[in-house]
Amino acid sequence: MGNDFKATDGSADKKINKPKLVVLTGAGISAESGLSTFRDSDGLWEKHNVMEVASVEGYQSNPELVNKFYNYRRTELAKVEPNAAHKALVELEQYFHTTIVTQNVDDLHERAGSESIIHLHGKLTEVCSTANGNLIKDIGYTMLNHPEQAPDKGIWRPNIVWFGELVPQLEVAAEKVREADVLMVVGTSLQVYPAASLVYYTKPGCQIFLVEPNEVLQNDFDFIHVKQKAVEGVPNLVHKLIMAFA
Ligand code: OAD
């Protein structure tokens, strides 16, 4: 990490010269808040069949079960709080044009105070109509009763992007990644596409940092591995980036 982030005139109008930074987050960033990841031992996909509760086919064959799964996760979300990693990311906004691109359906980045957040896989606190994906309603942490009719004659369903569905926010996120000077990747196994493909949209010279406590086998893109849990690694990295820029 050199002087790449220094404002051009030394003191500078940092507002104009702010570098662009994207943070791609996954379940690992919320683990220390108490929300389970998916693919770790004891993760959600150990306890639930992913195709039953997170796919279009699963919803079509048993909507009650799928609805119950997301009602449960919404209840769990209401009990937890953002952690030091979510909070540290907010500090970046003073020094970088910061966009959070999250695969998480929790609202912990919002509650921590981040301003620009793209939810690739939807939001637990929202439902959308089966008749029209554009009709969305915020239900907070309340239960969705199935079947509950939406005004357009569809049925309200969790506003989650399931396997077998398009990722509507992908192109918006890809554009942010293309422009980024720095990409931080935090707490994701990078196993789910197209979200995982975002790391390949970076421009030449974009520095990529990966905050991941475990070994990383993937080596087909250049990154600096911060081998720590998000609650330690993210605040450390945020402060290093701010020092490099300030
Ligand atoms: P995964 O469960 O696949 O990966 C979580 C990653 O976080 C793993 O690499 C862990 O090693 C790492 N991890 C665990 N604890 C951590 C900690 N305290 N700090 C930092 N990292 C930690 O979760 P995602 O990659 O987010 O999609 O999964 C991607 C998508 O798969 C999810 O959005 C979800 C799921 O199926 C849908 O349901 C549509």
Side-chain angles (χ1 to χ4, degrees), residues 25-33 36-40 43-45 50 53-54 69-70 73 83 85 102-105 120-122 160-163 186-193 195 211-216 228-232 234:
T25 65
I29 196 169
S30 299
E32 301 292 307
S33 290
S36 296
T37 61
F38 296 95
R39 293 172 185 80
D40 289 302
L44 280 174
W45 296 158
V50 53
V53 297
F69 175 68
Y70 290 97
R73 290 182 63 196
N83 63 46
T102 187
Q103 296 164 85
N104 297 344
V105 295
L120 288 174
H121 293 162
I160 304 291
V161 176
W162 287 323
F163 288 101
V186 184
T188 172
S189 60
L190 292 175
Q191 284 191 36
V192 173
Y193 285 78
V211 182
E212 164 62 60
N214 298 311
E215 288 302 329
V216 181
Q228 289 178 315
K229 288 183 172 180
V231 287
E232 294 148 16
V234 173

Side-chain angles (χ1 to χ4, degrees), residues 15-51:
K15 290 207 178 332
I16 292 171
N17 293 316
K18 279 186 197 177
K20 293 180 176 151
L21 188 148
V22 170
V23 192
L24 174 63
T25 65
I29 196 169
S30 299
E32 301 292 307
S33 290
L35 296 177
S36 296
T37 61
F38 296 95
R39 293 172 185 80
D40 289 302
S41 60
D42 214 29
L44 280 174
W45 296 158
E46 290 268 304
K47 299 177 197 144
H48 304 271
N49 179 329
V50 53
M51 293 317 277

Side-chain angles (χ1 to χ4, degrees), residues 4 9 17-18 44 49-50 71 74 80 85 94 108 133 136 144 149 151 161-162 166 176-177 187 199 203 205 221 223:
D4 304 3
D9 64 359
N17 293 316
K18 279 186 197 177
L44 280 174
N49 179 329
V50 53
N71 275 344
R74 211 174 291 115
V80 305
Q94 290 174 50
L108 296 182
I136 290 170
L144 173 64
Q149 201 152 53
V161 176
W162 287 323
L166 294 172
K176 293 290 180 187
V177 174
V199 297
K203 66 186 179 189
F221 61 95
F223 61 88

Side-chain angles (χ1 to χ4, degrees), residues 110-126:
E110 281 88 348
R111 283 201 255 153
S114 282
E115 284 194 351
S116 173
I117 305 162
I118 297 171
H119 279 272
L120 288 174
H121 293 162
K123 295 177 78 173
L124 266 179
T125 52
E126 291 177 349

